């Protein structure tokens, strides 16, 4: 078992996320099966796997919006969904969740007020300008969110999550639909957040080339974790050149194992 | 400190946070400001309906007095019901509700914010409609027009509460709009607008006794016919306010931090 630092705010506390026997049921289906893994602090952990494998459900469990979660799931030293975590986690859903009938700045101002109502207006404005610059939307600050392109709207959604410098960022497919330049810029931003602000990032993707940019990888398939390792270790272990090939290798292995289980039954 | 409880303990949603509530109300009003046509429709349609009604009953001003006063209570209820049910449905489907509930926002803050924003709008709407009816269309009120306004405001809050509540049961805008006839029309028929409630089939009279709109309309008629606040008026006002609070609480229960 893990030992937790007595002060949950202490930056040297161990793992950002720690799961044991984590199971999630949605309707008649079990979406996540007895997962056990850890997400270390101050690093970028990639959550990869085909769509429908349970990535979003796992992320929703971590931020505490998923119902019917059993097992152990500790986030920043507290059980997932603890009220004290709400201001310490930034969460970006797959579909941009912003108000289309507000401008970008009005969206940010509102969420900043919800996050930290006690803060001085000048300080909040400074925060808003910072996140606008982070996602490169300063020039669109006064445009209605509904009039922006899909990629711009998802960046507004990301900017909201960056407000108030959260310790843990949970980003569900943040780079979908972005052009290569923006994708590179965002990954540079993610690395800066981890390196300079000590933030922990959990980023999901189904694009395997993004996996190479992560410090650690959680490979998922059918609600189970296939591998939990660094990209290098994965490639070495499977004797492949790319994470994509490593993933396919592991999937084939798992499928073969499933088959032998079925035939011996 | 850390235990291995699978699910979070019941969130000790802090009591109302004034700053978060006003920020939410300001945000809702700001959203409406980007939609001037909706504001115009909300404000103007009740006025136009009253003008229409006045000249439909051109020959019988007494009828206009009765129906006009009732409608001053019914309009805010219907408009706020529609606006709130659609607005909260959009909040649910766009993912902003999930985002807000993952942030340090109390459910009470969100609901109070909506009630405050739409309440403010209802004050403007009712003030214009009441002013128009009393001073330009010759609606004959024995009591104070301020009391008419008070009832109208409570009706608006009731409409907001009902809208918030039913939005939890609507999966799309199509369904949300259909809740209007389902929730509002029966009350409209039974509230005593068309015929006194005592003249209805006893079963319907009993049903109308438990529908809040009956008391909203009755309250308006009390102001119409009496110079000062009658005991019945006070009862009516308390019932409408009580219903609004009750339904708001039910609405709060439909906002879930954790969803499947």
């Amino acid at each position: 078992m893990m030992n937790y630092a007595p002060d949950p705010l202490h930056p040297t506390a161990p793992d950002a996320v720690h799961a044991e026997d984590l199971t999630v049921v949605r309707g008649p289906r079990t979406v996540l099966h007895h997962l056990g893994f850890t997400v270390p602090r101050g690093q970028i952990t990639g959550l990869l796997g085909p769509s429908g494998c349970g990535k979003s459900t796992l992320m929703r469990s971590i931020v505490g919006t998923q119902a019917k979660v059993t097992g152990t799931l500790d986030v920043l030293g507290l059980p997932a969904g603890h009220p004290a975590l709400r201001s310490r986690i930034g969460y970006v859903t797959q579909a941009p969740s912003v108000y289309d009938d507000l401008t970008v700045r009005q969206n940010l101002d509102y969420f900043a007020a919800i996050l930290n109502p006690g803060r001085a207006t000048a300080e909040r404005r400074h925060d808003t300008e910072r996140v606008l610059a982070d996602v490169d939307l300063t020039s669109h600050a006064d445009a209605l969110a509904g009039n922006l392109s899909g990629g711009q709207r998802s960046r507004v959604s990301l900017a909201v999550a960056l407000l108030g410098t959260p310790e843990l960022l949970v980003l569900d497919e943040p780079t979908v639909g972005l052009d290569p330049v923006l994708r590179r810029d965002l990954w540079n931003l993610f690395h800066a957040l981890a390196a300079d602000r000590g933030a922990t990032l959990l980023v999901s993707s189904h694009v395997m080339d993004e996996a190479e940019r992560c410090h650690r990888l959680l490979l998922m398939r059918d609600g189970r974790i296939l591998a939990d390792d660094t990209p290098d270790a994965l490639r070495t272990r499977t004797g492949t050149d790319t994470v994509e090939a490593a993933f396919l290798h592991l999937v084939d292995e798992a499928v073969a194992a499933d088959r032998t289980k079925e035939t011996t039954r | 400190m850390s235990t291995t409880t699978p699910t979070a303990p019941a969130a000790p949603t802090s009591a109302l946070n004034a700053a978060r509530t006003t920020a939410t109300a300001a945000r809702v009003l700001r959203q409406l400001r980007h939609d001037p046509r909706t504001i115009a429709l909300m404000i103007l349609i009740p006025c136009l309906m009253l003008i229409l009604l006045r000249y439909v009953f051109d020959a019988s001003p007494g009828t206009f007095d009765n129906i006009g006063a009732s409608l001053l209570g019914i309009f805010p209820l219907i408009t706020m019901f529609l606006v709130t049910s659609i607005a909260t449905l959009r909040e649910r489907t766009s993912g902003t509700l999930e985002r807000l509930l993952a942030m340090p926002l109390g459910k009470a803050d969100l609901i109070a914010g909506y009630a405050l924003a739409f309440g403010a709008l209802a004050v403007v709407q009712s003030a214009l409609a009441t002013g128009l009816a009393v001073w330009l269309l010759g609606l004959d009120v024995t009591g104070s027009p301020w009391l008419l306004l008070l009832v109208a405001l409570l009706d608006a809050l009731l409409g907001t509460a009902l809208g918030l509540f039913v939005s939890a049961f609507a999966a799309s805008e199509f369904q949300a709009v259909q809740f209007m006839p389902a929730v509002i029309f029966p009350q409209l028929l039974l509230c005593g607008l068309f015929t006194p409630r005592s003249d209805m089939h006893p079963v319907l009279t009993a049903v109308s006794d438990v529908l809040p709109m009956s008391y909203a309309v009755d309250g308006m008629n009390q102001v119409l016919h009496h110079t000062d606040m009658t005991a019945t008026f006070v009862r009516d006002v308390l019932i409408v306010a009580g219903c609004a609070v009750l339904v708001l609480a039910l609405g709060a229960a439909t906002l879930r931090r954790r969803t499947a």
Side-chain angles (χ1 to χ4, degrees), chain A residues 117 144 188 263:
Chain A
L144 278 184
N188 288 342
T263 47

Side-chain angles (χ1 to χ4, degrees), chain A residues 2-5 10-17 39 41 76-77:
Chain A
M2 298 259 75
N3 283 318
Y4 296 101
H10 201 268
T12 58
D15 305 325
V17 181
V39 174
R41 286 196 192 226
L76 302 171

Side-chain angles (χ1 to χ4, degrees), chain A residues 2-167:
Chain A
M2 298 259 75
N3 283 318
Y4 296 101
D7 176 9
L9 290 168
H10 201 268
T12 58
D15 305 325
V17 181
H18 171 75
E20 258 175 61
D21 199 26
L22 173 68
T23 299
V24 175
V25 179
R26 288 184 72 185
R29 269 187 70 219
T30 302
V31 184
L32 300 181
H33 305 267
H34 312 286
L35 304 191
F37 64 91
T38 53
V39 174
R41 286 196 192 226
Q43 293 193 359
I44 303 176
T45 300
L47 182 59
L48 288 106
S51 35
C53 72
K55 298 189 296 283
S56 296
T57 305
L58 177 55
M59 294 191 136
R60 281 169 43 86
S61 307
I62 290 170
V63 297
T65 57
Q66 180 66 47
K68 296 196 178 161
V69 181
T70 53
T72 305
L73 182 59
D74 288 329
V75 179
L76 302 171
L78 294 168
H82 193 285
L85 290 173
R86 286 184 201 138
S87 53
R88 297 169 63 194
I89 303 178
Y91 171 42
V92 180
T93 49
Q94 209 164 347
S97 45
V98 291
Y99 297 101
D100 281 347
D101 42 8
L102 289 181
T103 67
V104 175
R105 186 174 271 121
Q106 286 170 342
N107 265 292
L108 291 169
D109 284 346
Y110 172 58
F111 287 112
I114 294 304
L115 201 59
N116 201 340
R119 240 159 136 209
T121 319
E123 229 179 295
R124 270 208 313 250
R125 192 143 299 158
H126 183 252
D127 203 22
T128 307
E129 295 306 323
R130 175 183 62 86
V131 298
L132 275 173
D134 278 348
V135 299
D136 196 23
L137 277 180
T138 309
S139 56
H140 291 79
D142 295 311
L144 278 184
N147 291 344
L148 298 177
S149 74
Q152 289 168 329
R153 283 173 76 238
S154 61
R155 277 186 286 152
V156 180
S157 199
L158 174 62
V160 173
L162 297 176
L163 287 167
T165 50
E167 293 160 63

Side-chain angles (χ1 to χ4, degrees), chain B residues 89-142:
Chain B
L89 180 74
R90 278 167 59 188
E91 189 105 65
R92 283 175 207 271
T93 49
S94 69
T96 46
L97 183 68
E98 179 173 343
R99 163 163 257 159
L100 283 174
L101 292 180
M103 291 174 99
L105 176 78
K107 294 176 196 173
D109 299 334
L110 184 69
I111 289 178
Y114 266 102
L116 206 63
F118 289 143
L121 213 60
V123 168
V124 176
Q125 186 203 54
S126 307
L128 277 175
T130 310
L132 177 81
V134 173
W135 285 298
L136 291 179
L137 301 178
L139 184 85
D140 203 3
V141 197
T142 317

